[in-house]
């Protein structure tokens, strides 16, 4: 019996696995994120003829977004600084940009496509209309966390 107990214990411990897919805490989300690249895709559907265009832009750590723990943030995009309030609910991120002297109030809803350690990918979908044609635009943005 004394020989069987250690064997059973070793077998039990060996069968346990560690889960390496840890979910980042909410504090991991806060901080400064540099824009690495972004792909803008537009799909136009006019009288059943669908066309898709896609353009990827790469960035050099000049554009960034900051998420503060208190639900506020700031974004530098193309040399223009904006402030916002945000809420995060599961994989949905809502950014509320108040009106300023330089911009109108706006709300952006993004889907968190990927978030782990130092990588964040957001997808923003919005519609534009020109000459009665509706275009569905998808903005897929990749960020790397500042060290």
């Amino acid at each position: 019996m004394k020989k069987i107990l250690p064997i059973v214990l070793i077998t039990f411990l060996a069968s346990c696995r560690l889960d390496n897919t840890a979910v980042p805490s909410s504090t991991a989300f806060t901080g400064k994120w540099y824009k690495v690249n972004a792909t803008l895709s537009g799909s136009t559907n006019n009288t059943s003829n669908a066309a898709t265009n896609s353009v990827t832009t790469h960035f050099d750590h000049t554009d960034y977004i900051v998420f503060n723990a208190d639900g506020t943030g700031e974004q530098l995009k193309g040399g223009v600084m904006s402030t916002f309030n945000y809420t995060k609910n599961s994989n949905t991120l809502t950014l509320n940009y108040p009106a300023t002297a330089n911009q109108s109030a706006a709300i952006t809803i993004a889907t968190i496509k990927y978030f782990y350690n130092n990588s964040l990918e957001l997808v923003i979908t919005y519609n534009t209309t020109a000459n009665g044609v509706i275009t569905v635009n998808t903005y897929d943005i990749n960020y790397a966390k500042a060290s």
Side-chain angles (χ1 to χ4, degrees), residues 71-84:
T72 63
E74 64 183 30
Q75 179 178 20
L76 182 65
K77 181 178 167 184
V80 177
M81 178 64 72
S82 301
T83 59
F84 58 86

Side-chain angles (χ1 to χ4, degrees), residues 23 26 28 35 43 49 58 67 72 76 84 97 108 119 122 137 147:
V23 176
S26 60
K35 192 181 284 187
S43 297
N49 295 323
H58 298 278
F67 297 102
T72 63
L76 182 65
F84 58 86
Y97 294 87
T108 300
S119 296
L122 300 179
N137 300 288
S147 43

Side-chain angles (χ1 to χ4, degrees), residues 124-146:
I124 302 166
T125 302
Y126 60 95
N127 295 343
T128 57
T129 304
N131 299 324
V133 177
I134 298 173
T135 301
V136 179
N137 300 288
T138 303
Y139 199 42
D140 192 326
I141 312 164
N142 291 290
Y143 294 92
K145 192 160 192 179

Side-chain angles (χ1 to χ4, degrees), residues 5-69:
L5 185 58
I7 293 171
V8 170
L9 184 59
I10 291 171
T11 304
F12 173 75
L13 291 175
S15 67
C16 294
R17 292 185 313 138
L18 292 176
D19 187 0
N20 291 329
T21 57
V23 176
S25 68
S26 60
T27 57
F29 184 75
T30 60
K32 187 174 193 176
W33 296 85
Y34 286 108
K35 192 181 284 187
V36 176
N37 62 49
T39 302
L40 178 60
S41 303
S43 297
T44 303
N45 191 349
N46 186 11
T47 63
S48 302
N49 295 323
T52 301
N53 300 316
S54 181
V55 176
T56 299
T57 305
H58 298 278
F59 297 87
D60 60 358
H61 281 70
T62 53
D63 288 8
Y64 63 84
I65 193 164
V66 176
F67 297 102
N68 298 314

